[in-house]
Amino acid sequence: MNTQRSSNILEGLAGAYPRSIYRSIGYTEKDFKKPLIGIVNSWTEANPGHFNLKQLSEYVKYGVWANGGMPVEFNTIAPCDGIAQGKGMHNILPSRDIICASIELMVEANQFDGLVMLCSCDKIVPGMLMAAASLDLPTIFVTGGPMEPYNHKGEDLVLSDVKEAMGRFKAGEIDEKEFKKIETNTCQTCGACGMMGTANTLSTVTEAMGLSLPSGGTLSAVASARLRLAKNSGERIVDMVSEELTASKIINSRNIENAIKYILAIGGSSNAVLHIPAIARQRGINITMDIFDKMSKKTPLLAKFKPASKYTLKDFHLAGGVQMLLKSLSPLLNLDVMTVTGKTLGEELKNIEFKESEVIRNLDNPLALEGGLAVLKGNLAPMGAVVKQSGVSKKMMVHRGPARVANSEEEVRDMLLQDKVKKGDVLIIRYEGPKGGPGMRELSIPAAILVGMGLGDSVAMITDARYSGATRGPCIGHVTPEAADGGPLAIVEDEDMISIDIPNRSLKIEIDDNEMKRRLENYEYKPKKDVKGFLKTYQKIVRATNEGATIT
């Protein structure tokens, strides 16, 4: 008698119906006795980070077949944050929870025995991690890998450089010919954008947590070694099924703690403060902004990448990648956690000899004593706000300036492009949170324009929206409560003085308590009238930013 989960639908008289259906697409009687492996693919032509996943899935299936499994591939959506900038960005964060739900429903309907997750980019990796945590099946990740950088005048460029070139062109620092050359050539291969944005932060997190095979996080999207890794992953998932090595044996509180420390040590994306709590929630684990900040004070910064430094993901890989970083960080990690290899993290790192480089520092010789992220609180953000402090210049770690208020991303873009922003200003961008947006848009384009215009060390940005890992400068996001929930961001007025103190974790509006109370009592939120479809439903049910902005 077959004791595999898939036997629920493939065995006995009742199994004749699904067996007949599977036969119509080429499966045979012998296959129905094998472990049923779901190949969860997010391949699409609408996202360069996922363009190579069609080929990778074939190699995964070769591995599954070779090791005695029955691979069955299906797809989920994979929108690109870069393409969706602006109007389309309302739909991006909500897609994460839809990806998770679509996988859960498909997997439970088909009663797969094990899963291979093929993914690359910003909301797709965390969406699949959420699904893996919820389903608790043997699961291995195969990420698509980073894009190759483009060398321009001796500097390796990645997509964040295109955004900053927009500001440089606006400021007259480069002419149209050079700008067009940067725009045309920077994205020269498929793959996830080569900076430490959300895509590569979360892709390397899957390796750091032992959910993908070693080197999977940093191997180039176009490397032949990635094809071999895909095949090896297909072989490995069949063994994981027989070993009953399920996701809960890897995704647990001790490994989530490792993931947070890893993110802090590499100066990873601030979006991780949304995604890690959402993943943990699927396992019944409570992760808050405060936990990130507590760990950041004890986790040194060992590496940082574009746009916060000159280094790309290619440099990270050549320096030893995730495994080398983990080796340096290992005295602070829980080494007894299991990985998809069937070995613990400690066992995997045992034979790695740490070699310090300009890219990856020794734990005793960090770039900074604190991790890359900080959580600020004060009367402007009573429940917290997030800043990627590893990308902020020293002169802007403490700043005080007059507010310039924008009620949308479009308004702040216009202010920048119409030269209405002055040195010393603090830009307030509100009604862009999970509920107010709706969808908590990413304001990386305005942030990059600000830096490109030469204002990155004199103007701060504060918002209830979010920023990309591909953002540098004093950009403070995730302000909670958001303006649409009646948070203090809603009552800021032009010329109010705003004080920012990142070392002391403070974010304040300089008005007295009575004035704050008066303004809040007189405040009335007016929801946007043009919201429709799923976003209208999302707006009603989405949780607050400090809870991961989930809908479950």
Side-chain angles (χ1 to χ4, degrees):
M1 177 67 70
N2 190 346
T3 59
Q4 294 171 165
R5 198 172 97 115
S6 55
S7 65
N8 293 331
I9 59 168
L10 292 177
E11 279 204 344
L13 181 62
Y17 204 64
R19 291 197 302 269
S20 181
I21 293 169
Y22 272 125
R23 280 191 175 93
S24 73
I25 48 179
Y27 295 99
T28 66
E29 188 71 26
K30 189 176 180 180
D31 295 328
F32 303 143
K33 305 299 181 183
K34 300 173 182 177
L36 182 62
I37 307 299
I39 312 298
V40 190
N41 199 346
S42 50
W43 173 82
T44 177
E45 291 182 340
N47 187 333
H50 295 245
F51 189 68
N52 62 330
L53 297 185
K54 180 186 284 188
Q55 183 185 35
L56 286 181
S57 73
E58 293 304 311
Y59 282 82
V60 169
K61 285 186 280 189
Y62 294 156
V64 173
W65 283 122
N67 205 22
M70 174 181 166
V72 177
E73 182 178 4
F74 67 92
N75 278 76
T76 188
I77 61 172
C80 173
D81 284 49
I83 290 173
Q85 290 292 326
K87 186 69 174 176
M89 187 59 75
H90 291 291
N91 305 279
I92 293 296
L93 182 58
S95 75
R96 179 196 65 181
D97 293 62
I98 294 300
I99 290 163
C100 173
S102 70
I103 295 168
E104 284 186 19
L105 294 170
M106 188 69 173
V107 169
E108 293 291 29
N110 286 271
Q111 292 290 289
F112 292 113
D113 297 306
L115 303 171
V116 181
M117 302 285 196
L118 286 141
C119 50
S120 276
C121 292
D122 295 37
K123 305 306 168 291
I124 301 87
V125 179
M128 289 195 180
L129 284 166
M130 289 167 66
S134 174
L135 289 162
D136 192 20
L137 294 172
T139 305
I140 193 168
F141 279 71
V142 178
T143 50
M147 186 182 288
E148 285 287 304
Y150 163 65
N151 193 273
H152 176 71
K153 295 183 176 180
E155 179 186 2
D156 280 344
L157 301 188
V158 295
L159 188 60
S160 58
D161 293 297
V162 176
K163 291 187 285 187
E164 293 190 10
M166 292 162 65
R168 292 169 62 204
F169 178 61
K170 171 68 175 61
E173 289 186 17
I174 57 175
D175 60 22
E176 186 174 1
K177 183 178 180 181
E178 183 171 359
F179 176 68
K180 196 67 178 178
K181 188 174 183 180
I182 293 170
E183 175 195 333
T184 302
N185 296 297
T186 297
C187 294
Q188 64 171 346
T189 71
C190 64
C193 306
M195 66 276 189
M196 192 55 80
T198 308
N200 285 311
T201 297
L202 270 294
S203 290
T204 59
V205 161
T206 65
E207 182 183 344
M209 291 184 73
L211 287 161
S212 65
L213 295 180
S215 80
T218 57
L219 261 175
S220 168
V222 295
S224 61
R226 185 161 290 280
L227 302 179
R228 297 190 293 276
L229 183 138
K231 186 176 181 181
N232 291 338
S233 299
E235 292 180 357
R236 179 61 193 147
I237 189 60
V238 179
D239 290 335
M240 287 174 66
V241 170
S242 65
E243 295 166 11
E244 298 183 351
L245 180 49
T246 59
S248 64
K249 295 176 181 176
I250 300 174
I251 305 174
N252 53 45
S253 58
R254 291 174 65 76
N255 211 351
I256 288 171
E257 182 179 313
N258 284 351
I260 294 172
K261 289 178 179 177
Y262 167 79
I263 291 161
L264 295 168
I266 61 165
S269 170
S270 56
N271 280 319
V273 184
L274 282 176
H275 300 318
I276 297 298
I279 295 160
R281 186 179 182 84
Q282 299 292 324
R283 298 290 320 140
I285 301 166
N286 184 37
I287 298 294
T288 65
M289 282 186 185
D290 291 340
I291 290 173
F292 272 84
D293 196 56
K294 182 180 178 180
M295 290 189 186
S296 189
K297 291 176 180 177
K298 299 178 180 179
T299 306
L301 183 70
L302 302 180
K304 60 180 181 178
F305 302 93
K306 285 261 185 178
S309 80
K310 65 181 181 180
Y311 299 115
T312 68
L313 264 289
K314 184 174 183 178
D315 296 312
F316 190 20
H317 184 71
L318 293 174
V322 173
Q323 301 301 307
M324 191 66 72
L325 190 289
L326 291 176
K327 184 69 173 183
S328 179
L329 191 61
S330 60
L332 302 182
L333 299 176
N334 300 309
L335 299 177
D336 58 344
V337 296
M338 186 57 65
T339 75
V340 293
T341 65
K343 299 178 182 178
T344 65
L345 177 61
E347 289 171 331
E348 286 291 340
L349 296 178
K350 186 177 180 179
N351 295 323
I352 293 178
E353 181 183 351
F354 179 72
K355 296 179 181 178
E356 186 171 26
S357 64
E358 290 184 0
V359 180
I360 303 174
R361 294 290 190 91
N362 190 297
L363 191 63
D364 297 328
N365 182 35
L367 294 168
L369 294 177
E370 292 188 357
L373 302 176
V375 175
L376 314 183
K377 289 189 176 181
N379 65 356
L380 195 55
M383 298 173 72
V386 179
V387 62
K388 187 174 179 177
Q389 62 177 346
S390 59
V392 180
S393 67
K394 289 182 179 180
K395 66 182 293 185
M396 289 298 288
M397 293 294 280
V398 177
H399 180 70
R400 180 177 180 270
R404 297 286 179 265
V405 179
N407 291 319
S408 68
E409 177 184 359
E410 287 76 11
E411 282 189 26
V412 77
R413 281 199 200 190
D414 289 345
M415 289 166 66
L416 287 164
L417 295 176
Q418 294 171 17
D419 297 321
K420 293 182 179 180
V421 178
K422 301 176 182 177
K423 290 184 177 181
D425 285 348
V426 177
L427 300 178
I428 303 291
I429 309 100
R430 60 193 180 195
Y431 303 115
E432 289 288 5
K435 181 186 293 185
M440 199 180 185
R441 287 197 285 183
E442 178 183 281
L443 305 187
S444 62
I445 293 286
I449 291 173
L450 186 79
V451 170
M453 291 174 66
L455 298 173
D457 60 356
S458 62
V459 174
M461 301 178 80
I462 301 172
T463 182
D464 50 11
R466 57 192 177 85
Y467 292 102
S468 168
T471 295
R472 64 185 172 113
C475 300
I476 300 166
H478 301 222
V479 172
T480 313
E482 63 174 293
D485 271 335
L489 207 65
I491 53 86
V492 178
E493 298 176 359
D494 282 338
E495 302 299 334
D496 283 338
M497 293 304 296
I498 307 296
S499 63
I500 302 165
D501 187 338
I502 295 173
N504 290 305
R505 306 300 202 256
S506 176
L507 182 61
K508 295 180 180 179
I509 176 174
E510 295 181 8
I511 58 176
D512 62 40
D513 292 345
N514 289 332
E515 176 63 10
M516 174 78 80
K517 183 179 179 182
R518 183 191 69 80
R519 291 189 191 181
L520 287 172
E521 286 175 348
N522 292 329
Y523 168 73
E524 182 181 358
Y525 172 58
K526 297 178 181 179
K528 295 171 183 174
K529 296 180 180 180
D530 60 346
V531 180
K532 58 185 180 181
F534 176 72
L535 286 181
K536 193 169 185 178
T537 301
Y538 179 86
Q539 191 174 50
K540 293 177 182 177
I541 63 176
V542 66
R543 290 178 178 271
T545 300
N546 63 329
E547 296 181 77
T550 67
I551 60 174
T552 56

